Amino acid sequence: MKPAREPGAISLVLRSLLFSLGFWVVTPPYAIFSVLLFPLPPIARYHMISRWSRFILFWLKLTCRIEARIKRAGALPAGPAVIMAKHQSTWETLALQTVFPPQTWVIKRELLWIPFFGWGLGMLRPIAIDRGAGRVALKQVLEQGQDRLKKGLWVVIFPEGTRVAPGQRRRYGQGGARLAIEAQVDVVPVAHNAGEFWPRGGFIKRPGVIDVSIGAPISSRNTSPEALTAAVEQWIENELLTLPKN
């Protein structure tokens, strides 16, 4: 599906500004509300806090006319799994919450330092790592990741480690594959073109339909981190080539 007809530059600026205003009006009070949910169990807390993401996506659709189309290659695993997704935008960090069961994420620890937003994020028990810590960060992902999976939470990992512009790619890290192998859970790969509409660091958001493709689960049994990572990378990068260009 082609994106909606491109509006004028002034309209794009005004719509993007309206979205940002709504985002920052809603986020501080919801962050305070999220902190008050601390006594609840993790999954109950997740269901309450993730409503913020659903509202932001609704507000994005209303103001910037950005929607999504989901394609699934198969049924999801019956239990928690590791999600390894392309990272192009802020959009997928919100949208994955509406597509998959309760989850947590491997994130850079600096996100927790953002006023209000970081407070709410911290209540969702993310695996906040120092990306420059090497083996220490990997150990943290493996230990905390297995703990989250045992508690019924799916774990989202962006294997390239940072947002990458459409048409570009970075080396895929093996942390997600190692976690899946040690926990003996499947990996679910995800490809999308969100960066075409909500680019990294971009204030302007273009209207249109984001295509999201969810691959069939990839087993972590009887394989190596290298082979599993390569299989995930091959599927995601090949699938990206099939998505509409905008």
Side-chain angles (χ1 to χ4, degrees), residues 6 17 27 30 42 53 55 58 71 95 147 152-153 160 178 195 202 204 206 234:
E6 188 79 10
L17 178 60
T27 298
Y30 210 93
S53 297
F55 172 79
F58 162 77
K71 180 177 73 172
D147 172 72
L153 293 169
E160 290 171 287
R178 290 184 181 276
I204 300 297
R206 294 178 51 236
Q234 182 179 34

Side-chain angles (χ1 to χ4, degrees), residues 83-87 156-162 170-177 190 229 232-233 236:
I83 301 165
M84 294 177 66
K86 193 71 177 179
H87 198 17
V156 178
I157 294 180
F158 299 112
E160 290 171 287
T162 189
R170 291 169 58 97
R171 185 183 69 83
Y172 278 51
Q174 296 179 14
V190 179
T229 302
V232 171
E233 179 176 7
I236 291 177

Side-chain angles (χ1 to χ4, degrees), residues 1-115:
M1 183 181 293
K2 294 182 179 180
R5 183 179 178 182
E6 188 79 10
I10 294 179
S11 177
L12 282 175
V13 171
L14 291 177
R15 287 178 176 274
S16 299
L17 178 60
L18 186 59
F19 169 78
S20 295
L21 288 174
F23 180 97
W24 289 112
V25 166
V26 169
T27 298
Y30 210 93
I32 295 172
F33 168 72
S34 299
V35 173
L36 298 178
L37 298 175
F38 179 77
L40 296 179
I43 291 182
R45 197 160 62 223
Y46 171 88
H47 283 301
M48 296 294 292
I49 297 176
S50 63
R51 293 180 183 179
W52 173 84
S53 297
R54 295 178 183 275
F55 172 79
I56 295 301
L57 290 173
F58 162 77
W59 186 241
L60 181 70
K61 178 180 177 180
L62 188 65
T63 57
C64 299
R65 296 184 293 171
I66 295 177
E67 303 180 59
R69 176 173 59 186
I70 311 295
K71 180 177 73 172
R72 302 175 187 268
L76 295 178
V82 173
I83 301 165
M84 294 177 66
K86 193 71 177 179
H87 198 17
Q88 293 184 349
S89 170
T90 300
W91 180 85
E92 61 270 16
T93 64
L94 305 171
L96 291 180
Q97 298 177 50
T98 69
V99 177
F100 290 98
Q103 63 205 245
T104 191
W105 311 271
V106 176
I107 64 170
K108 58 183 180 180
R109 63 181 183 179
E110 289 83 356
L111 290 178
L112 298 179
W113 303 343
I114 300 175

Side-chain angles (χ1 to χ4, degrees), residues 71 191-193 211-213 238-246:
K71 180 177 73 172
H192 62 84
N193 58 359
D211 281 279
V212 181
S213 184
N238 287 344
E239 188 68 11
L240 284 172
L241 298 177
T242 72
L243 301 182
K245 304 298 181 184
N246 303 293

